[in-house]
Amino acid sequence: QVQLVESGGGLVQAGDSLRLSCADSGRTFSTFAMGWFRQAPGKEREFVAAISRGGVSTLYTDSVKGRFTISRDNAKNTVYLQMNSLKPEDTAVYYCAASYRSYIRRDSGTYDYWGQGTQVTVSS
């Protein structure tokens, strides 16, 4: 059974950094491609970043390129999102998601499991 639990969110000032973690309690973490999504109040959920099963391939939305880094540690069943130079527009609930597919995509419909989300608030 896959259970994704995010942590690391909080309230920070613009320019600060945060690292989000998403841990999977199951035994099949390395078989999943992983993604991070976010949803701001009144907006649709949007893709942020994704990483392949082995961590070789990554994908980012344009607005976070150069500021956010996705990584994973399969030995710890954990995926991370390092967020630097945070901006107020990064404020959202951040969700991690797992996909059985061997490829990584921006489409939320290609992900099979979702965490409960963690709030990130960036003040100006």
Side-chain angles (χ1 to χ4, degrees):
Q1 185 176 357
V2 177
Q3 185 173 3
L4 304 175
V5 179
E6 300 99 333
S7 61
L11 172 63
V12 297
Q13 293 186 332
D16 286 350
S17 298
L18 276 177
R19 188 176 79 157
L20 305 182
S21 299
C22 172
D24 171 22
S25 60
R27 299 181 178 182
T28 58
F29 179 77
S30 63
T31 67
F32 292 107
M34 299 297 296
W36 285 97
F37 291 76
R38 65 187 180 186
Q39 187 167 19
K43 295 187 177 181
E44 293 186 353
R45 188 172 299 187
E46 67 169 349
F47 170 80
V48 176
I51 189 166
S52 60
R53 294 168 175 172
V56 173
S57 299
T58 58
L59 188 64
Y60 297 93
T61 192
D62 287 346
S63 63
V64 307
K65 284 181 180 178
R67 299 190 299 123
F68 291 11
T69 302
I70 188 171
S71 62
R72 66 189 297 162
D73 185 338
N74 286 343
K76 295 182 178 180
N77 288 2
T78 302
V79 62
Y80 305 97
L81 186 67
Q82 177 67 43
M83 306 186 294
N84 298 329
S85 302
L86 282 161
K87 304 176 181 180
E89 50 264 44
D90 294 319
T91 295
V93 177
Y94 282 71
Y95 300 89
C96 71
S99 172
Y100 280 118
R101 293 158 181 80
S102 60
Y103 51 84
I104 50 177
R105 287 291 186 270
R106 303 169 187 270
D107 182 3
S108 61
T110 63
Y111 291 82
D112 303 285
Y113 299 96
W114 294 81
Q116 83 290 346
T118 185
Q119 176 71 48
V120 172
T121 303
V122 184
S123 64
S124 57

